[in-house]
Structures are given as C-alpha cells and as structure tokens.
Amino acid sequence: MGLGDNEGEPPVSDDDIDWTDESADNAASRLADSRDAEGQPQRVILHFDLDCFYAQVEMIRNPALWNLPLAVHQKYFIVTCNYLARELGVTKRMMATEARAKCPELVLLNGEDLTPYREISYKVTELLESFCPLVERLGLDENFVDVTELVEKKLKKEPLPSDLSVNGHIYNQQALDPTAPDHHRLALGSHIAAEFRAAVHTQLGLTGCAGVASSKVLAKLVSGTFRPNQQTTLLPEGSAQLMRGLIHVRAIPSVGRSTATRLQALGIHSVVDLQRCPLPTLEKELGGICARRIHCLSLGIDPLPVTPRGPPQSLSDEDSFKKVSTEVEVTQKVKELVTSLLHRLHRDGRVPRTIRLTIKRFSESSQPVSRESRQCPLPTTLGQKIRSGSWDAVTPLVSLGMKLFFRLVDRHMPFHITLISVCFTNMQLCCLGTRGSIVSFFSQGSPVKPKEAPAAECSGPTCQQGALDTSSNQELQESSLVPSTPLQQRSAPSPPPGVDPSVFWELPEEIQRELRSSAASAPVPDCPGSTASPATRPGLGQHASREASYPAVLQPPSLAPCTLADQAQSLNHSLNSPVHEVPSHVDPQVFVELPAELQGELLAEWKRETRAPPSTPPSTPPSQTLPSPKRGCSRPSKGKKLNPSNRTQVNNLLKYFKPC
C-alpha cells in the first residue's frame, strides 16, 4: 500500500513517468521544480546514532578495553555492550548475572554515573553544530541534522553531477536515478553524512550509524538498517516498504507503551493495521492532534522541522532499587540525588525555579506501574546558594524534597518504593545579587558604560557585556595605566566575594561594612561568564582599567593613601563649578561616587526646587499634623502641617539626600 492510499487517490510516483528521453535542460528544470507548495526544496535530514555509546565512552577512557567483551550495567541490568560481547551472546536488558554466565570473560562496568556520557554527548552535538546550525539532540547518543541548505549550495555549484553516487547503502538496494531531483539531493546528503561521521571519529574517537531521508521519522527508522559504523540512504520510492516492514506499532517514534495499549484495544497491532484504520476512529480514541500525528507517521510523513533545543530545560537524576520503606532511607536517597544535581547545576550556570519529586511504587501485578510526581517552586533565597555551588543548599533542598514525598505517601502507613527521581525545572539565567540588595549593584561583571574608554566586560551568556578571560586579565595587570599597588596595600579587610574591589574601596566606610555584613549571610555569585573562581581570580590589578574608564566626575583625585578629610576637601574643591553645585545638606563624597547619569538627574531636580516659588501648604485637619520626630532629627516648627505632596516621595531617591 502506497503512502497516499488512505487519501482516496493513489500517489503518482516517478515510475509512472518515462524520463528516458529527457534532455539535460529538462532535467535541470525538473530539479528546480522539485519543491514543496511553499517553494522550499525537498528536505534532506540526517539521523546520527552512535554505536553502543556507553561502551564506546568507557573504551575511550580506558583503551585497554578495546579488544575485550565489555558491558555497562545499571543496577542489575545490562544497558549496553560492545559488539564483541554481542557476538558472545550478551544483549541489552539482560540480567548482569545471566550475562556473566553466558560470557565469563565479560568486563562489567557500572554506568549509573552519567557524567562522562553527558560530556561526550555534548561534544558530539557541538561538533555537528560547527558544520550545520540545525542540529537537534535526541537523548545522549542521537542527533538530527537538517543539511538541506548545504545540499542546495552544492547544487548551485554543480546542478547535475555527472558521477552521481551514494556513500554507503541504499535501502532495499534500489537503483539510483540520475535524472530524479530527489535522488540528487539525497545522494549529496549521503556524502555530507559521511563527512560528519568521519569528523566525529577523527576528533572524538566515536563511530556511529547514519540515516539519510526526507523527514525525521524516515531518517531515524532507516539509520539502523546496517550496523555498526555504516549509513543508509532511503529513496522516496522505498519509504512505503520501510514502513510496512515495521512489525509492531511501538517501532514508530512517538508511540509509547500507553498509546500502544490503547491502539491494541482497537485491534491495531502492526503498522499496516494503523495505516488501514480510519482516521475518525483514531481521533475518537486518541484525540484529533495525536491521532493525525500518529497516522501521518505510519505513512512515513513527518513535517516537523529539525529544531535546535539549546540548553536542557530541566536537570534530573533518579535511582531505582528493590525496596525502600523507611523515612530514613528515602531521605538518604533524596540527599544523594540532590548532591549529584548540585554539581551539574553549578557547571550549567543557570538557576532552577521549580523542584519536582517522582516516585514509583512496588506492584505485584505484571502490569506496568505509573510514576507519581509532585512539584513546588524553589524559594528565591536558594538561588544564590545553588548558583555558587554552596553545600548550604543541600539541607533545604532535601527538606523540600521530603515535603513533596509526604504529599505522595502517607508517612503513617507502610510504603514500598522502587524508584525516586529529583528534577530541577524552569531553568533561568541567574541574576547578579539578590533583588533589593545593594550587593547586586557592585557585583563583578555589572554593566558599566564609561564615556571615555570602553572597558572589557564579562562575556558570559547571562551578562550584558561579558567577562574578561584569563589572558585579558593578565594583560590588564601588566599594562594598566592606573597603578594598583596602593589599593592592594590597604590594611582594611578584603572586599566580599563577587564585589569589584576598585568600586568597593571608593565607597564610604559605612557601605563597606554593610556589604561585608551582607556577604557573610548570603554570598554573591560570580558572573556566569567569568573564567576564574573567587579563590583563583587574579589580583586587584585586573580592575585598574575600570578606574581609567570612569567618567571624569567619578574619578577620585588621587589613588594615593590619604585621610578621609583630605578626600572630602578635594572633592568639595572639584565641585565648585556652577554645574556641580549641590545643597549644603548633601555629602559631596557620597554624591561624587554616584553614576554620572544619576548626578545629572539630582542636579536638575535641585535646580528646579531652587527656582520653584515657595508655596503655602494647604490647610489640613489637626489629625494630619506631623508626628513627633525621632531622636536626633530637627523638629518642625509648631503648627506645621504635613504636605500631602510629600507623600508621593516615599520611594524617591532624593529622600536619601535630605536632612533627617
């Protein structure tokens, strides 16, 4: 049955048309016309599937294992094994004891720690992205790549190659038609796939299979036809046979256990049964969207694009076991999972906003047991601790996890748990400092916009400008125009972590004490793009260029040590011009430390207040008279009423510069 039999009219294939007498011009015209309804060229999708991925990673880590039968197990089951072990009878999902009995010389390695596999997996994806931007990850060992644009570029250089050939196998050994435009594109895609596979093997030492087809579902299904380390191209004429060759509906991607069970209730067991099932029947059972999607997949139709997913939207870890039935055991398992995830979160650089706990209960029936989950938002106070990798986050996170657990399980009743999973979701870029805290304005990597010389900024993914790399820091230390020795020789305590020292030392002593006190209770995380940790970051010399780039109004008169009175006198002298006249009740030292934009705003406000004519406050009832001021404040004159207009200045920055 063809791809369009359920549409009421059989499809027209290339076999129905005689192209034997076609000229080169007509072939080129046909090549240009082989586009979809929107004018886009026929897609060329590659699917890469690495061979026995976990086993390959272990053999790369220990080359002595290359010529030995090797299997990787998690708990009691084999999750993968190399092809030498498969030749000796070892298979996936086999019990480890059974595998050892079949192959006594089998090397068994524990693969429960997925860290090395994740690292290699992301390297593979990054390498593919260096050739083509449209790369979509599928698990740890699979990737889709849309090379349509690369194929089109090659066709523009040579529209009809004289030596048309396919690299690797053609599904069902079909003949390649040099005049068929789709065959041209898929043939070029096979050569691109071979180049990508060669690059992965040369640079990372990994081998894998590849499928070349016109859609994601077809590329994935055909990629495993020939293994290991081979590739297969599916021509359009072979897609119907490929789909009919699938025995069970579970072979179709996106059809899981639950959907397969519901299809079996309709009498649908094979892919052919699914193709023949009327669409209204499927829609009634599965819903419109799901039914149409699965029906199209059974026909080999998959219009979904290859979508780069970017960083993962969640980080999770789980552990399965035979039995956990006490609160102490659950707490220990949750703590192990949280500790493992904190390492990954620290390397990731983002902060989660939600935590989810999942469990699976023991069941004596043969029917699969569904998982149960509960989730809750993470308090914002944990964000800094998670981002900085502080171990102080473990205890509150475990406490949250246990609260979620007891929303699923009655602690007063016996329970039998076989799986626990902890997941952090709703990943967001971290913010510098805590909202509402003055610390956030002095974190390293804060965006500074100098007027004279642009300063190098933090280049991390979450910073607006970015951070200096190690080499740039060293150059700044050696070639800085402003000496940093006086700053380093100060006898005062060092600034808190994450605070720019050059800014910190220019603050009044009261604010310095406040910052040190805030850092003691909540450490400030580094800028995500920074390449050096607080313990290993270079000295204060790297920040000297910031001082040279400050606007003139922010420049201190000298970096040499001097008394606070001398600095105030010098600052007052620099503000004698009419432009910088400030009211007598404003501390000039505090004013001069403000950004230039804020200084201009304050000066304009004070100038307007000076020009504004005095106004008589409106009469108010006695109940609105000012309350008794606090001790130390100037007392208002008797009978002075509260000006209602002053109530709107509660959140005005000017209140910090008015006398108490």
Side-chain angles (χ1 to χ4, degrees), residues 194-465:
E195 295 174 4
F196 288 0
R197 289 173 52 238
V200 171
H201 182 258
T202 301
Q203 300 187 31
L204 300 177
L206 296 169
T207 62
C209 300
V212 185
S214 58
S215 67
K216 292 167 63 175
V217 64
L218 294 176
K220 178 176 174 60
L221 291 174
V222 81
S223 63
T225 306
F226 294 94
R227 292 177 179 274
N229 196 25
Q230 301 182 66
Q231 65 181 52
T232 309
T233 300
L234 177 67
L235 301 180
E237 297 79 8
S239 58
Q241 185 175 359
L242 172 66
M243 300 307 300
R244 287 197 301 266
L246 302 178
I247 304 300
H248 198 276
V249 290
R250 287 289 303 274
I252 300 178
S254 302
V255 177
R257 182 182 64 249
S258 177
T259 303
T261 302
R262 299 172 68 178
L263 291 175
Q264 289 174 2
L266 298 176
I268 300 174
H269 301 278
S270 66
V271 175
V272 175
D273 294 336
L274 182 57
Q275 292 175 341
R276 293 174 177 173
C277 181
L279 185 58
T281 303
L282 290 176
E283 291 178 342
K284 184 177 180 180
E285 176 65 26
L286 304 176
I289 297 177
C290 181
R292 289 190 292 271
R293 166 71 175 161
I294 292 177
H295 189 259
C296 288
L297 290 177
S298 70
L299 300 173
I301 302 173
D302 184 12
L304 292 183
V306 174
T307 306
R309 301 186 184 277
Q313 298 304 309
S314 63
L315 295 179
S316 64
D317 199 359
E318 67 179 34
D319 193 6
S320 58
F321 25 76
K322 289 184 177 180
K323 181 179 181 180
V324 164
S325 57
T326 66
E327 182 177 346
V328 175
E329 292 176 318
V330 174
T331 304
Q332 181 61 30
K333 294 295 183 182
V334 172
K335 184 177 181 180
E336 293 173 0
L337 296 175
V338 166
T339 303
S340 173
L341 287 172
L342 280 179
H343 288 290
R344 293 170 57 189
L345 285 170
H346 184 51
R347 290 192 299 267
D348 182 271
R350 294 174 296 164
V351 176
R353 300 302 183 193
T354 307
I355 181 174
R356 180 170 66 240
L357 183 84
T358 304
I359 65 170
K360 186 161 68 172
R361 303 174 191 266
F362 172 77
S363 175
E364 295 181 352
S365 67
S366 59
Q367 297 297 326
V369 181
S370 300
R371 300 186 178 194
E372 305 172 57
S373 300
R374 291 291 185 274
Q375 67 181 31
C376 69
L378 286 172
T380 55
T381 54
L382 287 177
Q384 282 187 338
K385 295 181 180 180
I386 292 175
R387 170 66 184 89
S388 63
S390 172
W391 292 108
D392 296 338
V394 174
T395 300
L397 288 174
V398 172
S399 177
L400 277 177
M402 293 305 298
K403 290 180 180 179
L404 295 175
F405 177 79
F406 290 124
R407 289 172 60 185
L408 293 166
V409 176
D410 186 353
R411 67 198 310 170
H412 303 295
M413 299 293 293
F415 58 84
H416 185 168
I417 306 299
T418 60
L419 179 142
I420 296 178
S421 170
V422 176
C423 177
F424 290 110
T425 64
N426 193 12
M427 308 291 290
Q428 297 181 7
L429 298 177
C430 67
C431 57
L432 297 176
T434 304
R435 179 180 295 182
S437 171
I438 194 174
V439 176
S440 61
F441 296 98
F442 300 97
S443 300
Q444 289 182 345
S446 299
V448 178
K449 297 181 180 179
K451 292 183 177 179
E452 298 180 0
E457 296 289 341
C458 159
S459 62
T462 60
C463 298
Q464 296 181 2
Q465 299 295 333

Side-chain angles (χ1 to χ4, degrees), residues 479-494:
S479 61
S480 176
L481 299 177
V482 182
S484 58
T485 304
L487 292 176
Q488 297 174 348
Q489 291 178 351
R490 292 178 184 261
S491 58
S494 60

Side-chain angles (χ1 to χ4, degrees), residues 526 532-537:
D526 294 330
S533 63
T536 60
R537 183 172 286 106

